[in-house]
Amino acid sequence: MSSCWGNNIKISVFGQSHSPAIGVVIDGLPAGFHIDMENLDAFMQRRAPGQSGLTTPRKEADTVEFISGIINGKTCGAPLCAMIKNTNVRPGDYSEISDTPRPGHADFTAQAKFHGFQDLSGGGHFSGRLTAPLCVAGGICLQILDFKGIHIGAHIERIADVSDQRFDPAFVSAIDLQKLSYEPLTVIDPAIGEAMAERIKKAGEDGDSVGGVIECAVIGLPEGIGDPMFDGMENRIASAAFAIPGIKGIEFGNGFDCASMRGSENNDSFITDGDKIITKTNNHGGILGGITSGMPLIFRVAVKPTPSISITQKTVSFSDNKETDLNIHGRHDPCIVPRAVPCVEAIAALTVYDAWLSSKNSCI
Amino acid sequence: MSSCWGNNIKISVFGQSHSPAIGVVIDGLPAGFHIDMENLDAFMQRRAPGQSGLTTPRKEADTVEFISGIINGKTCGAPLCAMIKNTNVRPGDYSEISDTPRPGHADFTAQAKFHGFQDLSGGGHFSGRLTAPLCVAGGICLQILDFKGIHIGAHIERIADVSDQRFDPAFVSAIDLQKLSYEPLTVIDPAIGEAMAERIKKAGEDGDSVGGVIECAVIGLPEGIGDPMFDGMENRIASAAFAIPGIKGIEFGNGFDCASMRGSENNDSFITDGDKIITKTNNHGGILGGITSGMPLIFRVAVKPTPSISITQKTVSFSDNKETDLNIHGRHDPCIVPRAVPCVEAIAALTVYDAWLSSKNSCI
Amino acid sequence: MSSCWGNNIKISVFGQSHSPAIGVVIDGLPAGFHIDMENLDAFMQRRAPGQSGLTTPRKEADTVEFISGIINGKTCGAPLCAMIKNTNVRPGDYSEISDTPRPGHADFTAQAKFHGFQDLSGGGHFSGRLTAPLCVAGGICLQILDFKGIHIGAHIERIADVSDQRFDPAFVSAIDLQKLSYEPLTVIDPAIGEAMAERIKKAGEDGDSVGGVIECAVIGLPEGIGDPMFDGMENRIASAAFAIPGIKGIEFGNGFDCASMRGSENNDSFITDGDKIITKTNNHGGILGGITSGMPLIFRVAVKPTPSISITQKTVSFSDNKETDLNIHGRHDPCIVPRAVPCVEAIAALTVYDAWLSSKNSCI
Amino acid sequence: MSSCWGNNIKISVFGQSHSPAIGVVIDGLPAGFHIDMENLDAFMQRRAPGQSGLTTPRKEADTVEFISGIINGKTCGAPLCAMIKNTNVRPGDYSEISDTPRPGHADFTAQAKFHGFQDLSGGGHFSGRLTAPLCVAGGICLQILDFKGIHIGAHIERIADVSDQRFDPAFVSAIDLQKLSYEPLTVIDPAIGEAMAERIKKAGEDGDSVGGVIECAVIGLPEGIGDPMFDGMENRIASAAFAIPGIKGIEFGNGFDCASMRGSENNDSFITDGDKIITKTNNHGGILGGITSGMPLIFRVAVKPTPSISITQKTVSFSDNKETDLNIHGRHDPCIVPRAVPCVEAIAALTVYDAWLSSKNSCI
């Protein structure tokens, strides 16, 4: 099912860019958890447009309305439905798309699948706006995980040619996540954040866009979470991560770099750390055989440059099958990477919490 | 469920490295398809050990026995169970593992999850041997897809520092897949294959191992297959691909490279090709918004170096929590990439066929 | 997942009796279907309270608001979210329940499961009110099935000791469904409907309630829909039917009566009907081996008497573990059978349509 | 998926009546459970043919072979595959079916679905023989539940017009299940068992068959197991029970009888039992709102008379669309009820254990 996901908790995401509202139903949340609404709102604001002058001027309050599933501030065991009204709806902006599919967008493939019945306005259900309900679901799971001592944080590892440091894979701690700098962009090294912001601004001024890479770490995850084969942590995380529009790759631990390495370099030796067994290095990114090792779980996703650019592009008219120029009006994020950071954290929280819930039944 | 996968066809993989047999149940195969057993056997042989002196000397005939689901050579609509007997079983080789987890293997995490009840011999259910039933299921899907004009092929794109050409993303054709060279390794450029084989042999002689990258192309896939959000082609393929042991990353189209690009470079212009609309370039790898565009679907996976090496490694004894040296006896593949190539094709076939079956219900 | 259901279409039901709203997300509806809103509203009114003076005086307009998934009156392929505001919310009526569980209700078991975190007002997520979103989802499927020539109708087969005729299992037709009498109750024989209404009124006057049986027929279903074993039509229908509160039994064809019969009586002979093969009788209720035979699909469900009665009952106080008298205030339906009739049709439509969507992939 | 079932444990059943073997893969069994093979074999023998001269003379040793998932007699966390060889295969017996569908069997509907590609021999995948792997899976779950103090037993409540006593719904205990009489049939009252056996023999002598009802009780189930709406205990049990061929109805607690009752009779008062709260009566059959109440869980299923009878029947020839007489050769069970008793216990065990595994995540 395209917009449903999960084994123990199950989310069902709904809405289009310009429908009356967007939202999510979360089935399977345990009863009795107090959701910190201020914390959730702060998390949602990290995804919201309008930050640092780097993102789209579409203004959305993104106020989360809880329709069901909460009594006296706590989950009640019934499915939780959260809704966000679409207030800044301008369907008129998008009429041209119906005949001339935008390069890099889903206009062409949606037409191939739904034969003209799809919602065209603002990308419809394919819009990046649908990551807002994902962040509601993920934001709640982040709080539950925090409560259990499992902490998740992501930062921009790269924008175009500007790279932040990576998390130190074997030693990154919850404190390191607390130390992340959020202004103007979420990075480890604030100076690098400034340089990245410059790249984004420049691309925007050129009517163009840029892509990047986001790195995410999960700290405090006990060993033994996840399953062999199709329900490994990699499978679970990847199955959800590609729901974020624009993600074109994912890697765990040292990822694609391991392809160039020898086993003697890539294998992480086991060592003792008091009573615990840990690994000396963490090329494996906290996952072996699909199951957590207790080391930080680390993954990175590649985000493509925003397909909406104001530079004239080539496309084809559906109606007369002729090649034509396309000029996209309105303004869009010159880079979606900054707003995708909390989305990646949300995905990590959803998948980790779902796997954690499964883990109680491994032994008799 | 760890070893079950699929929406329309559903596979359930069973067996351990040294259990009496390994196998797979495939539920949901349409009735009436004639399985070409010679073709399937040839496909299985590409995964089998013993090729070109580059792989493990464990000899397994890997004869596929069909227990159910086939009548007169054709699928009958009932679940198909295929089994491969484990003939070359030597449980004694692995006794040491129970106390000293091998770096890079699942020994440590399996212990964390199953508390000593797991099957240790040869990696148990975590063994690469379990990709054989995956290849049976995928091999059948490959035949069905071929019958429908959809063709899948993969090659080794890189071993250590030696790189093959990539598929030409916009122009790779079924004929190009036919032209792949299989000896000594599956590559586009046979000279490169020789160089890769050298790297593998050298690593083996050093008691070490090497990793690599595999690239896969799906040709002839109609536009409009796949779904938004969680059931996009990327999500589906990734959710299955990480079931192949040793895969640590996956990317679609230009993947991680898109992070460095501007939108104006990365967007693929739509152009006409007779009556059809295609894209001029194929950075998107045949997928936009999770749905196929009709262009070749292209993805790459990173494979880590075989964790089993004969060089002495460091580990910790479970029983006394002391660090100790580990020497792995027996011989293993110095590189699992060559045998992983058909596994990647199998995964692609399973996911593409499963998505194709869903696509009939997109419109009223 | 407790409130999610379906294979090809997937519904996620949310809301509690006194939450701001109740609703449903339907994922997987084909694009391009025009929903007849008047028809849907008329269907919803059959479930709504306030009919014929026989049901609860709680007034709810039950206006269905479509949040997503519809463009220009037609489904657009994106998940459809439908919401019904709870306008007549009176949480105060239910405070007593928290300490003294009502016999026949879910108060006691909800407490056992959710330990006091559950929503108590009006039964929370266990309320019969949650059948309203079920009817929205089912009502849409009813329209799609009608469009395909598959027609569904149910009637009250029994209230207490008053029995309506049954559908003639081998000959019931779409016209017979059109001829059902809706006033005062949905029956084949209107005189019987009057007698049933008397039984209900009398029970209400006594501060008591009555149960009944509902019979449902699906006409025009092609042969070959449904699957063996766990996805037979009986399994599918039953898996959804018990979501309607108060249903305690289901039977297909001649159901429990077949237990007293001999094979020679119970087997339905095959005969010709022009070019078609049909059965002479229809004890099998249109299902053999889980798969439709092309004969009318017929099933019946048993509905218990409304547990809310004004007669004093015995219960136990959670707080002091003492037995105590319970008087339930407010007024409730003395019989939920009349309002359950459209719910049973909704369930039949959901399950039949979901199975129909699967049936395209049976053969190569 | 037709032959897959389950949420936490997932079974995939394979095989046809005359395929080389039949079997089941069980994914999700916790590691570390010792399976008592003698106990399992004894359980399997209760389903096996050849008992008391009342069943088919087809002889099958029904020896269960474990292919995977067990190490040193204990589950190891990997999927368990169990296989039973079909030794007494006589495909020749069934050639006639291909053209003349047997009344009451799935021959006609299988043809409609699979268009001649289905396995016809002995009913193929539709055969009652497929309940053997169900009993393997259920038999293992029965042992696990026994270990947890949850006990399951079923008896024949009725054959034709002969009725056994029912379990006393509020007081049936594990000891009552121990006291069940197994010879000649599984009943509470052995004298009644003799009378039932007479009915079966008489039907067989007449070349005919008889149906019946089976009642099942689950004792010791804690309160709070199961979920609202679609994952209620009734939904779960019914979704699996109809996988047993010939079952046409299911009812929980007092089932269809509740339709004739008033709320004041049907509601079960809560009373104290020491520190526990129980109900005085048990019309609700241990389930309220889909969730267990801690009272015995009780359900009954209706089983139709064996469709295979030697009396001449009417059918239609597929090849010339002409009505014709059908004589079924070979001998079959004149009543499948006796052998269905352990199958019902197996289904109960599977569903109850699967629900029990879910129940750990209800609260934070």
Side-chain angles (χ1 to χ4, degrees), chain B residues 67-71 76 78-79, chain D residues 13-23 47 56 58-60 62 84-91 93-94 97 102 105 107 118-133 245 332 339:
Chain B
I67 306 300
S68 67
I70 298 184
I71 291 296
C76 68
Chain D
V13 176
F14 61 89
Q16 299 113 245
S17 184
H18 291 200
S19 59
I22 56 177
R47 196 214 68 90
T56 172
R58 175 175 174 171
K59 288 268 177 291
E60 288 288 359
D62 279 0
I84 299 168
K85 292 223 173 73
N86 281 329
T87 53
N88 194 354
V89 175
R90 294 159 61 195
D93 271 21
Y94 300 88
I97 310 167
R102 293 169 299 171
H105 274 285
D107 303 341
Q118 71 274 18
D119 183 1
L120 299 156
S121 310
H125 189 59
F126 294 89
S127 166
R129 182 139 181 76
L130 269 293
T131 55
H332 296 85
R339 295 175 58 201

Side-chain angles (χ1 to χ4, degrees), chain D residues 28-42:
Chain D
L29 282 179
F33 185 74
H34 173 81
I35 300 175
D36 180 333
M37 293 299 174
E38 277 183 47
N39 175 300
L40 184 64
D41 188 56

Side-chain angles (χ1 to χ4, degrees), chain C residues 1-5 11 13 101-106 108-109 112-115 125-126 134 158 160 202-203 206 208-213 223-224 226-231 234-235 238-240 242-243 248-252 255-256 258-264 266-272 274-275 277 284 287-289 291-293 300-307 309 311 313-316 318 321 323 362-363, chain D residues 1-5 11 13 101-106 108-109 112-115 125-126 134 158 160 202-203 206 208-213 223-224 226-231 234-235 238-240 242-243 248-252 255-256 258-264 266-272 274-275 277 284 287-289 291-293 300-307 309 311 313-316 318 321 323 362-363:
Chain C
M1 282 307 116
S2 60
S3 303
C4 299
W5 182 90
I11 63 171
V13 177
R102 294 168 299 172
H105 275 285
F108 178 74
T109 55
K113 187 172 181 68
F114 298 120
H115 298 110
H125 189 60
F126 294 88
L134 262 186
R158 183 149 59 95
K202 182 65 175 58
D206 297 347
D208 212 336
S209 61
V210 280
V213 172
E223 57 203 44
D227 296 85
M229 294 206 80
F230 301 109
D231 266 358
E234 295 103 333
N235 310 61
S239 79
F242 287 104
K248 296 301 279 184
I250 189 165
E251 58 177 13
F252 296 84
F256 276 85
C258 75
S260 319
M261 292 167 76
R262 283 198 157 191
S264 54
N266 188 60
N267 283 353
D268 301 301
S269 300
F270 289 106
I271 57 172
T272 54
D275 286 348
I277 300 175
H284 69 288
I287 311 170
L288 286 169
I291 300 172
T292 58
S293 67
R300 279 172 299 281
V301 295
V303 185
K304 74 178 185 184
T306 325
I309 55 177
I311 296 169
Q313 298 181 85
K314 297 283 179 195
T315 188
V316 175
F318 283 128
N321 200 37
E323 296 181 11
S362 301
C363 283
Chain D
M1 283 307 114
S2 59
S3 304
C4 299
W5 181 90
I11 63 171
V13 176
R102 293 169 299 171
H105 274 285
F108 177 75
T109 55
K113 188 174 180 70
F114 298 120
H115 299 109
H125 189 59
F126 294 89
L134 263 185
R158 181 148 60 94
K202 182 66 176 57
D206 297 348
D208 213 336
S209 62
V210 278
V213 172
E223 58 205 41
D227 296 85
M229 295 206 79
F230 301 109
D231 266 358
E234 295 103 333
N235 311 60
S239 79
F242 287 105
K248 296 301 280 184
I250 190 166
E251 59 177 15
F252 296 85
F256 276 85
C258 76
S260 321
M261 291 167 77
R262 283 197 157 191
S264 54
N266 188 60
N267 284 351
D268 301 301
S269 300
F270 290 106
I271 58 172
T272 54
D275 285 348
I277 299 175
H284 70 287
I287 311 170
L288 286 169
I291 300 171
T292 58
S293 68
R300 280 173 298 281
V301 296
V303 185
K304 74 178 184 184
T306 324
I309 55 177
I311 295 170
Q313 298 181 85
K314 297 282 178 195
T315 187
V316 175
F318 283 128
N321 200 37
E323 296 182 10
S362 301
C363 284

Side-chain angles (χ1 to χ4, degrees), chain A:
Chain A
M1 282 307 114
S2 59
S3 303
C4 298
W5 181 91
N7 292 316
N8 295 290
I9 47 166
K10 188 133 206 154
I11 62 171
S12 183
V13 176
F14 60 88
Q16 299 114 247
S17 184
H18 290 200
S19 59
I22 56 178
V24 62
V25 181
I26 317 173
D27 197 354
L29 281 179
F33 185 74
H34 174 81
I35 301 175
D36 180 333
M37 293 300 173
E38 277 183 47
N39 176 300
L40 184 64
D41 188 57
F43 180 67
M44 294 302 293
Q45 288 313 310
R46 289 177 51 208
R47 196 214 68 90
Q51 310 155 28
S52 313
L54 294 173
T55 61
T56 173
R58 175 176 175 171
K59 287 270 177 291
E60 288 286 0
D62 278 1
T63 311
V64 182
E65 220 176 307
F66 289 90
I67 306 298
S68 68
I70 299 184
I71 292 295
N72 303 325
K74 289 184 178 166
T75 54
C76 68
L80 183 154
C81 176
M83 222 171 68
I84 298 168
K85 291 223 172 74
N86 281 329
T87 54
N88 194 354
V89 176
R90 293 160 61 195
D93 272 22
Y94 299 89
S95 50
E96 210 175 350
I97 310 167
S98 60
D99 193 46
T100 49
R102 295 168 299 173
H105 275 284
D107 304 341
F108 177 75
T109 55
Q111 174 69 20
K113 188 173 181 68
F114 298 120
H115 299 109
F117 296 119
Q118 71 274 18
D119 183 1
L120 299 157
S121 311
H125 189 60
F126 295 89
S127 167
R129 182 140 181 73
L130 270 293
T131 56
L134 262 186
C135 282
V136 177
I140 293 170
C141 291
L142 277 169
Q143 293 187 19
I144 299 178
L145 290 173
D146 267 332
F147 176 76
K148 297 184 180 298
I150 301 167
H151 308 290
I152 294 176
H155 71 112
I156 303 176
E157 197 249 348
R158 181 149 60 94
I159 293 288
D161 60 323
V162 186
S163 294
D164 194 16
Q165 330 166 14
R166 288 192 175 177
F167 288 130
D168 186 332
F171 298 99
V172 56
S173 69
I175 291 165
D176 294 324
L177 303 185
Q178 297 287 345
K179 283 188 195 157
L180 286 171
S181 168
Y182 289 97
E183 280 301 321
L185 294 169
T186 311
V187 287
I188 296 175
D189 178 345
I192 293 289
E194 298 288 348
M196 288 174 172
E198 281 311 306
R199 287 298 186 286
I200 295 172
K201 271 180 202 149
K202 183 64 174 58
E205 285 159 16
D206 297 347
D208 213 336
S209 62
V210 280
V213 172
I214 295 167
E215 185 180 51
C216 185
V218 186
I219 311 292
L221 198 49
E223 58 204 42
I225 310 295
D227 296 86
M229 295 206 80
F230 301 109
D231 266 358
M233 293 309 297
E234 296 103 332
N235 310 61
R236 289 168 180 263
I237 293 172
S239 78
F242 286 105
I244 304 172
I247 290 196
K248 296 300 281 184
I250 189 165
E251 59 177 13
F252 296 84
N254 60 3
F256 276 85
D257 287 349
C258 75
S260 321
M261 291 167 76
R262 284 197 156 192
S264 55
E265 296 168 276
N266 189 59
N267 284 351
D268 301 301
S269 300
F270 290 105
I271 57 172
T272 53
D273 178 26
D275 286 347
K276 268 177 71 79
I277 299 175
I278 61 169
T279 60
K280 191 174 176 185
T281 49
N282 185 16
N283 292 322
H284 69 288
I287 311 171
L288 286 169
I291 300 171
T292 58
S293 68
M295 294 297 288
L297 189 163
I298 289 172
F299 68 96
R300 280 171 299 280
V301 295
V303 185
K304 74 178 184 185
T306 324
S308 290
I309 56 177
S310 44
I311 295 170
T312 301
Q313 297 181 86
K314 298 283 179 195
T315 188
V316 175
S317 155
F318 283 128
S319 55
D320 63 6
N321 200 36
K322 290 235 168 74
E323 295 182 10
T324 179
D325 281 356
L326 176 73
N327 292 297
I328 299 181
H329 308 298
R331 275 197 49 204
H332 297 85
D333 289 1
C335 184
I336 50 178
V337 178
R339 294 175 60 199
V341 175
C343 303
V344 169
E345 294 175 2
I347 284 297
L350 275 166
T351 49
V352 163
Y353 184 51
D354 193 54
W356 186 87
L357 287 169
S358 287
S359 68
K360 301 180 186 177
N361 294 324
S362 301
C363 284
I364 198 74

